[in-house]
């Protein structure tokens, strides 16, 4: 009995089409107009806060004109100067000028402010001596000249003693910190009257810093 030949299309039919067909049928149909659930994944990583802020600043800077940028810089400088002025009055370390920052400079200021310094009375004494020297009396002029010499010698001696004691205290209190210029900084402060010093004194006279 003759056997009927099988059709070749049945033997050599592509298996790829058979595998793709169920997959295509199982693929879910998405609607682009359907709103995304708030807890569903976005499909992209969420940017960090710093990156988002930098992106917002870059966009704002590109939209800012030159005149607006200059105005903004002036306002920032004005605000910085105001913070610095308030810091000089209150002693706030965050906004003090660079020459006044640091624990070493703070200790040097407190050391000078806690004691009497002859140099701080130089200005009123200089006015008195100047008035005496202008009087057309030889005796008073000689007294004025002598007072000049006495005041200068006392200021030099007091500054030497203050500098020596301050240097010793700084070496004890801050052995590993940078102390260069701290003694000269304190001596320049001692030449100013107490009420005119900036930053304002934070200790009373006689109070140990």
């Amino acid at each position: 009995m003759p056997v009927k030949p099988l059709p070749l299309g049945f033997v050599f039919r592509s298996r790829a089409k058979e595998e793709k067909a169920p997959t295509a049928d199982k693929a879910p149909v998405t609607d682009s107009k359907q709103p995304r659930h708030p807890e569903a994944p976005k499909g992209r990583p969420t940017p960090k806060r710093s990156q988002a802020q930098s992106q917002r600043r870059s966009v704002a800077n590109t939209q800012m004109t030159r005149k607006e940028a200059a105005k903004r810089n002036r306002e920032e400088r004005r605000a910085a100067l105001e913070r610095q002025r308030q810091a000089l009055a209150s002693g706030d370390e965050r906004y003090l000028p660079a020459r006044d920052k640091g624990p070493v400079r703070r200790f040097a200021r407190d050391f000078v402010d806690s004691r009497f310094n002859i140099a701080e009375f130089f200005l009123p004494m200089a006015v008195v001596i100047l008035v005496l020297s202008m009087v057309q009396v030889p005796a008073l002029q000689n007294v004025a000249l002598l007072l000049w010499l006495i005041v200068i010698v006392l200021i030099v001696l007091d500054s030497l003693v203050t500098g020596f004691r301050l240097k010793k205290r700084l070496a004890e209190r801050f052995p590993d910190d940078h102390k260069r210029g701290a003694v000269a900084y304190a001596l320049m402060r001692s030449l100013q009257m107490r009420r005119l010093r900036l930053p304002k004194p934070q200790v009373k006279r006689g109070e140990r810093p």
Side-chain angles (χ1 to χ4, degrees):
M1 183 176 182
V3 180
K4 296 182 179 180
L6 294 175
L8 296 178
F10 177 79
V11 178
F12 299 102
R13 187 171 56 185
S14 175
R15 296 180 60 187
K17 293 182 180 180
E18 294 179 355
E19 294 177 355
K20 290 181 181 179
T23 306
D25 295 338
K26 294 180 182 179
V29 178
T30 59
D31 187 4
S32 60
K33 296 182 181 179
Q34 183 179 1
R36 186 180 63 85
H37 193 275
E39 296 183 357
K42 301 179 190 177
R44 66 181 188 277
T46 303
K48 296 182 179 179
R49 180 179 297 179
S50 59
Q51 295 177 352
Q53 291 177 352
S54 62
Q55 290 176 359
R56 288 197 295 269
R57 282 197 297 266
S58 62
V59 173
N61 291 334
T62 55
Q63 297 176 353
M64 187 180 300
T65 62
R66 182 178 299 178
K67 185 177 181 180
E68 292 174 347
K71 182 179 179 181
R72 182 177 179 181
N73 291 334
R74 287 195 301 269
E75 292 176 353
E76 290 178 353
R77 286 196 300 269
R78 190 180 299 109
L81 291 175
E82 179 63 22
R83 288 195 300 265
Q84 189 178 103
R85 186 188 66 81
Q86 295 178 359
L88 289 173
S90 62
D92 191 349
E93 289 280 344
R94 295 175 299 172
Y95 305 113
L96 287 177
R99 65 181 179 85
D100 299 315
K101 283 185 177 181
V104 175
R105 296 300 174 98
R106 174 65 180 268
F107 182 84
R109 293 196 302 271
D110 293 343
F111 184 85
V112 170
D113 297 336
S114 64
R115 62 193 302 272
F116 284 94
N117 301 279
I118 299 177
E120 67 181 288
F121 303 105
F122 172 77
L123 185 59
M125 288 188 296
V127 173
V128 173
I129 294 172
L130 182 61
V131 171
L132 291 176
S133 63
M134 294 177 63
V135 178
Q136 299 299 323
V137 178
L140 292 178
Q141 292 179 349
N142 293 332
V143 171
L145 180 59
L146 181 62
L147 287 176
W148 269 120
L149 295 176
I150 294 174
V151 168
I152 292 174
V153 171
L154 289 177
I155 289 175
V156 170
L157 292 177
D158 185 63
S159 299
L160 290 175
V161 173
T162 301
F164 176 78
R165 290 180 177 176
L166 176 58
K167 188 175 182 180
K168 184 178 179 181
R169 293 287 302 278
L170 288 175
E172 295 174 354
R173 182 70 66 88
F174 308 99
D176 300 326
D177 293 353
H178 180 71
K179 299 179 285 293
R180 183 176 181 180
V183 175
Y185 171 79
L187 294 180
M188 290 298 297
R189 184 176 178 85
S190 67
L191 292 173
Q192 303 171 353
M193 299 180 67
R194 182 181 174 86
R195 66 180 60 184
L196 301 179
R197 292 172 182 172
L198 291 175
K200 294 290 186 182
Q202 303 296 316
V203 296
K204 299 178 180 179
R205 292 189 189 273
E207 184 179 351
R208 187 180 179 87

